[in-house]
Amino acid sequence: MKNHSLFLTICLLLMSYASIGQLYEVPLNQRIDKSAYIFEGKVMESNSFFSPDRRNIYTSHLVQVYSVFKGHFPGDQIEIITEGGRVGEQAVLISHNLELAPHQHGIFFANPTSRPGNQQPNSGLHLRVYAGLQGFVQFHFDGINPKASAPFQVYQNPETELFPLIEARTGQARYNWASEQRDIEEFSIAYYFSYPQLSSSGSSLYLDFEIQASVSGGSYEYGDAGIYIEYDTALLGSSLAGAGKVIITAGDVTSSSDYSFALSDHGANILHLDISASDPPFDLGDVDAWPDDVLQVRVDVTGINPGIEAIFEQSLMEGESYYYDAGSGVYVAFPFVWAVDTVVYEGNSVIAIDSIAGDTVPAGINDFIGIYGSGFGNTIGKVLFNNADNGGADRVEAIGEDYVLWTDLLIVVNVPSKDSTAGTRRNPAGSGTIIVETTGGDTIQSTESVEVPFSLFNLRLGASDNFTTIQQKFADPRGNGGLQFSFHEDFPPNYRMVFEKALDRWRCETQVHITLSEEDTDIDSVSSTDGVGVVAINDLEPGVLGVTRNWAQICFDGTDFQIYAEEVDMIFDDSVSWFVDTIGIGIGSGQYDFYSVALHELGHAHNLGHSMDDNKVMFYTIDSSEIKRNIDLGSLTGGNYSVSISLDSIGCSIPTAITVPPMELFDCSTTSVSEFLSGSSLIVYPNPSTGGIYIDWGDIRVNGPVKISFDNLLGSTSFKQHFSASTEISWVDIPSSVPSGIYLVKVEINKNIYHAKLSLQR
């Protein structure tokens, strides 16, 4: 077995340093009561497949069960079925949908399902998670995120904040699932070196660190252990224990009187750290999936320069760690010991973030930020952004080809989108601070925030460290100019009127080519690839107000892969109390505004992901009695971007590019974004323009300096001009250096800002 190295580098220069469709919350007790099975488990593999009638795509996740809170399991593996996924050249992308991936670990709330299964777990069970995204509490093991999180909840210590609540509600104590069929590497104890720091006392210098342990497969009472560490005698000398150079004390796990400790030399260059537990025990500490400290270690490094090299001697540690089996009353050896290869300390420089270049960058368009600082190292570590799918409860990691450059002084990284591919998924980056983590485990959080005005959903092809991101486009696969919705025949008339108003808002602002059929459909709203984009009210997962299903096709145009929307279905929940009104006055307590939710889902139809700002239409949740009927500038910019990249030919043989619809087909009289942003309407013409515009000031009083700028779809200013106080400004020349495209004309007068959209066609 390979030894796993730990490098401790000490620099004496350091001696001077002394926290989706739009969601609503489903209470925990409801999730407990409505779930037949509640268990801790880890996703082992994920595979997408067509339903037998090929009208839908599901993904099968084989989950290893580690511990059980509710229900009886005849085997230790089950199958979780989720909607959506990718099979070959076809993909189903669903808003506010639970998407799982291998290695995800957490608590599942689940029930038997009529959805088709795809694998044969040893329990014979295939299940569906209750309440969608809220039916999975994900564990985090990175030391950056909280220990566990779900939409609306963060658990810093789930063992005390969550597990007792479930046990009290079910009346069933959590128990571990031990199976003889379990892969031995899945039932193991792992050891880590963690949290190193220098300390001094008088003229002596010490390196303090923890030895931590975690266990796969549930929670166990920690017993005896033998931990062996090999070190470099050329730096430290021989027989450290005998020389009095090392002190060990109890950690959190071993803090009770049941434990005693001994330190000895196992030869001249190996330390033996021995932990003994009482037999029978009285109050043993627990080890589980989270690394917890079992020992505190202090090494005297006075006069050591430049560093120490030490390793776990794994071969000596195998079979030396025990847990207590309360059923049999004996200590049992863990069958596998894993000494994790972790750099504990690298003191060549102190990590720091000085500034961030590109503080306003959308997610999902392959645009990047530059992080200036020091101490990053020259090996790619991690950059983490807020997770916009849960309001920043945890973090989203940039991966693989997201990293453009990584040096000790500068990191250049793409702002990651919400993206998915077979067996993996990632949430969208949102606004806020970022975290940099080096390969040595050092982390720092920026004081400066990154603004992410919008995010797009993309598809990833390839491995996580070598992938291609494909931006989805709209297409016209049936020769209608774009996509089309059909109301389900049972969709009520008042809902139709409100939905059409919300659709007009988007169509008038982004010129997206989505039309409404004059004929209703009787097609089931959950079926797909039927050529009909259905708008319906139907049963959804508890906690979900609306869902947008995007059926996408992947093709190769001879040079690049392309992905385009083939059909969009939109379903709203029929179990909540809706406020259905076009004016937005008089919403009752406990009602959800249908207009606001429709506007949000139509944002998803534009391929937009969630925003971190709870005032914006694309925020992941909405409260009852809350009104969000404005399209904010960031969402508008993102929607325009999605449309603009779809106006060019896709290049594949089946679809054609969408066209700009005749705007006289829509009611744009009361849907101008400018009217909601400023309270007054700014009119520019001609629109489209070939090189200049007239400005109709309407009722705007121009009695001070005027600043006019033209922002492109990425939010960057392409042209700006300042005028002194005047009431006669009516014509603005647009330089020939400004290319054709869609622009937001922004006018600032007396600290008031007005907007209008302009199509420039050279």
Side-chain angles (χ1 to χ4, degrees):
M1 180 103 23
K2 175 179 175 289
N3 286 330
H4 293 262
S5 297
L6 166 68
F7 294 92
L8 312 179
T9 305
I10 299 175
C11 179
L12 295 182
L13 293 174
L14 297 181
M15 288 180 63
S16 60
Y17 103 120
S19 195
I20 308 177
Q22 277 183 302
L23 303 181
Y24 62 92
E25 186 172 1
V26 178
L28 176 63
N29 283 347
Q30 179 178 332
R31 284 177 278 156
I32 295 171
D33 295 345
K34 296 292 186 180
S35 301
Y37 299 95
I38 304 174
F39 58 94
E40 173 204 354
K42 184 168 76 172
V43 180
M44 308 304 293
E45 58 182 82
S46 300
N47 297 289
S48 297
F49 64 99
F50 276 110
S51 60
D53 59 7
R54 298 187 66 82
R55 299 179 71 187
N56 215 335
I57 290 178
Y58 296 98
T59 300
S60 166
H61 310 276
L62 189 64
V63 177
Q64 180 74 50
V65 177
Y66 287 156
S67 63
V68 179
F69 292 89
K70 185 179 180 181
H72 173 69
F73 287 80
D76 67 348
Q77 293 182 345
I78 58 92
E79 183 184 23
I80 294 286
I81 307 296
T82 59
E83 284 193 287
R86 175 193 164 204
V87 179
E89 296 178 347
Q90 198 157 40
V92 180
L93 316 176
I94 305 175
S95 68
H96 316 109
N97 182 49
L98 176 65
E99 298 173 344
L100 299 169
H103 310 300
Q104 282 188 284
H105 189 159
I107 303 295
F108 294 83
F109 299 79
N111 290 303
T113 180
S114 59
R115 292 172 177 173
N118 185 250
Q119 303 186 68
Q120 295 296 322
N122 57 32
S123 68
L125 292 172
H126 67 280
L127 307 175
R128 171 180 180 171
V129 170
Y130 177 77
L133 287 165
Q134 298 180 65
F136 177 59
V137 179
Q138 182 173 353
F139 294 168
H140 305 286
F141 305 101
D142 52 23
I144 295 174
N145 289 303
K147 279 194 172 182
S149 65
F152 305 103
Q153 293 94 29
V154 166
Y155 302 100
Q156 298 295 344
N157 191 343
E159 297 98 324
T160 59
E161 298 170 9
L162 175 62
F163 297 172
L165 298 179
I166 300 176
E167 292 174 328
R169 187 74 177 182
T170 63
Q172 174 179 316
R174 177 189 185 205
Y175 66 89
N176 294 317
W177 214 134
S179 169
E180 294 179 357
Q181 299 179 11
R182 177 175 291 150
D183 185 340
I184 192 169
E185 292 194 16
E186 285 301 321
F187 182 37
S188 58
I189 185 166
Y191 286 96
Y192 312 80
F193 296 91
S194 301
Y195 303 117
Q197 58 184 336
L198 288 175
S199 62
S200 60
S201 177
S203 60
S204 297
L205 180 67
Y206 301 98
L207 174 65
D208 299 315
F209 59 90
E210 295 178 2
I211 294 178
Q212 295 188 329
S214 68
V215 176
S216 64
S219 176
Y220 293 84
E221 292 184 284
Y222 190 65
D224 297 345
I227 300 170
Y228 294 83
I229 301 175
E230 182 179 349
Y231 54 89
D232 188 344
T233 57
L235 293 170
L236 286 176
S238 302
S239 305
L240 287 183
K245 293 280 191 178
V246 180
I247 299 172
I248 60 173
T249 54
D252 291 341
V253 172
T254 58
S255 59
S256 81
S257 59
D258 272 343
Y259 296 98
S260 60
F261 313 97
L263 176 65
S264 61
D265 294 308
H266 186 83
N269 65 333
I270 296 177
L271 283 171
H272 177 205
L273 289 62
D274 186 73
I275 302 173
S276 298
S278 301
D279 191 9
F282 173 71
D283 184 25
L284 293 175
D286 291 332
V287 285
D288 52 28
W290 287 282
D292 285 314
D293 61 305
V294 296
L295 279 179
Q296 304 280 344
V297 181
R298 166 166 284 193
V299 182
D300 187 340
V301 293
T302 304
I304 300 302
N305 187 21
I308 309 172
E309 179 182 343
I311 62 173
F312 283 117
E313 182 35 85
Q314 184 167 289
S315 61
L316 294 175
M317 292 169 61
E318 291 182 1
E320 290 292 308
S321 293
Y322 293 78
Y323 65 92
Y324 184 70
D325 184 351
S328 61
V330 299
Y331 286 96
V332 181
F334 286 99
F336 186 81
V337 175
W338 176 253
V340 177
D341 185 5
T342 303
V343 176
V344 167
Y345 197 80
E346 186 175 346
N348 293 324
S349 59
V350 177
I351 184 172
I353 295 176
D354 296 331
S355 63
I356 299 175
D359 57 357
T360 301
V361 179
I365 65 170
N366 295 322
D367 204 352
F368 51 81
I369 60 172
I371 308 168
Y372 291 89
S374 58
F376 302 143
N378 291 304
T379 304
I380 294 176
K382 298 177 182 178
V383 176
L384 300 105
F385 298 79
N386 277 325
N387 178 2
D389 270 354
N390 59 19
D394 52 41
R395 294 277 175 167
V396 178
E397 178 186 341
I399 58 175
E401 291 185 357
D402 287 335
Y403 296 102
V404 180
L405 177 70
W406 189 296
T407 70
D408 192 56
L409 302 177
L410 172 64
I411 301 168
V412 179
V413 59
N414 285 319
V415 180
S417 65
K418 182 177 180 68
D419 53 38
S420 182
T421 187
T424 66
R425 68 103 182 92
R426 184 169 57 167
N427 303 105
S431 301
T433 61
I434 60 169
I435 292 176
V436 173
E437 180 180 5
T438 69
T439 54
D442 293 322
T443 63
I444 187 168
Q445 183 170 327
S446 67
T447 57
E448 187 177 348
S449 290
V450 174
E451 174 68 23
V452 182
F454 67 86
S455 67
L456 299 181
F457 188 100
N458 294 324
L459 191 73
R460 252 188 299 129
L461 297 179
S464 62
D465 59 348
N466 184 21
F467 61 87
T468 299
T469 299
I470 309 174
Q471 295 183 351
Q472 180 177 281
K473 300 179 179 181
F474 295 101
D476 178 24
R478 297 175 184 86
N480 298 322
L483 300 177
Q484 188 175 70
F485 284 134
S486 293
F487 289 121
H488 189 265
E489 58 188 6
D490 294 331
F491 202 68
N494 56 333
Y495 286 71
R496 299 179 187 219
M497 180 176 63
V498 173
F499 182 86
E500 187 165 0
K501 285 290 185 182
L503 179 58
D504 277 349
R505 172 77 66 80
W506 278 106
R507 293 190 292 196
C508 294
E509 296 302 341
T510 64
Q511 298 181 319
V512 63
H513 201 134
I514 300 178
T515 57
L516 285 168
S517 172
E518 295 181 358
E519 298 183 1
D520 291 349
T521 179
D522 61 354
I523 294 176
D524 181 9
S525 62
V526 300
S527 62
S528 10
T529 61
D530 46 34
V532 178
V534 179
V535 180
I537 289 186
N538 210 328
D539 292 330
L540 293 178
E541 295 280 0
V544 181
L545 293 168
V547 161
T548 299
R549 287 187 176 91
N550 187 330
W551 281 79
Q553 190 75 27
I554 303 166
C555 63
F556 186 70
D557 65 5
T559 303
D560 299 306
F561 283 97
Q562 305 282 352
I563 179 172
Y564 62 91
E566 186 178 32
E567 176 185 319
V568 176
D569 297 321
M570 203 166 289
I571 302 95
F572 300 93
D573 187 40
D574 65 356
S575 67
V576 301
S577 176
W578 289 108
F579 176 65
V580 186
D581 175 84
T582 58
I583 300 175
I585 299 175
I587 186 170
S589 176
Q591 288 188 306
Y592 291 93
D593 184 39
F594 183 73
Y595 192 118
S596 299
V597 177
L599 208 65
H600 177 96
E601 292 306 316
L602 286 163
H604 285 312
H606 276 76
N607 204 35
L608 292 177
H610 287 138
S611 165
M612 276 288 293
D613 189 338
D614 62 1
N615 293 315
K616 293 184 177 180
V617 66
M618 296 312 297
F619 191 61
Y620 81 106
T621 184
I622 187 171
D623 294 332
S624 62
S625 306
E626 186 177 9
I627 301 290
K628 290 183 182 179
R629 296 189 170 196
N630 298 342
I631 303 177
D632 56 274
L633 189 58
S635 299
L636 172 61
T637 304
N640 274 309
Y641 179 87
S642 286
V643 172
S644 69
I645 64 174
S646 305
L647 296 175
D648 296 328
S649 176
I650 292 177
C652 297
S653 59
I654 300 175
T656 58
I658 64 170
T659 60
V660 176
M663 300 312 290
E664 62 268 16
L665 297 179
F666 315 133
D667 179 10
C668 296
S669 60
T670 59
T671 57
S672 171
V673 165
S674 58
E675 132 185 25
F676 294 97
L677 290 173
S678 64
S680 299
S681 177
L682 177 71
I683 300 172
V684 299
Y685 62 93
N687 195 356
S689 168
T690 58
I693 56 170
Y694 289 100
I695 300 178
D696 183 346
W697 295 105
D699 59 357
I700 301 173
R701 295 185 62 189
V702 187
N703 56 1
V706 178
K707 299 178 182 179
I708 300 177
S709 63
F710 292 73
D711 293 349
N712 63 23
L713 293 177
L714 302 182
S716 299
T717 299
S718 300
F719 164 62
K720 60 184 177 181
Q721 190 168 355
H722 293 186
F723 298 91
S724 60
S726 174
T727 59
E728 299 178 356
I729 302 168
S730 60
W731 175 260
V732 177
D733 279 311
I734 304 173
S736 59
S737 58
V738 180
S740 298
I742 298 173
Y743 293 88
L744 293 175
V745 181
K746 183 170 67 176
V747 178
E748 182 178 348
I749 306 171
N750 296 331
K751 298 183 179 180
N752 293 315
I753 297 177
Y754 306 89
H755 296 84
K757 190 175 68 173
L758 173 71
S759 175
L760 181 62
Q761 298 179 3
R762 295 293 189 181

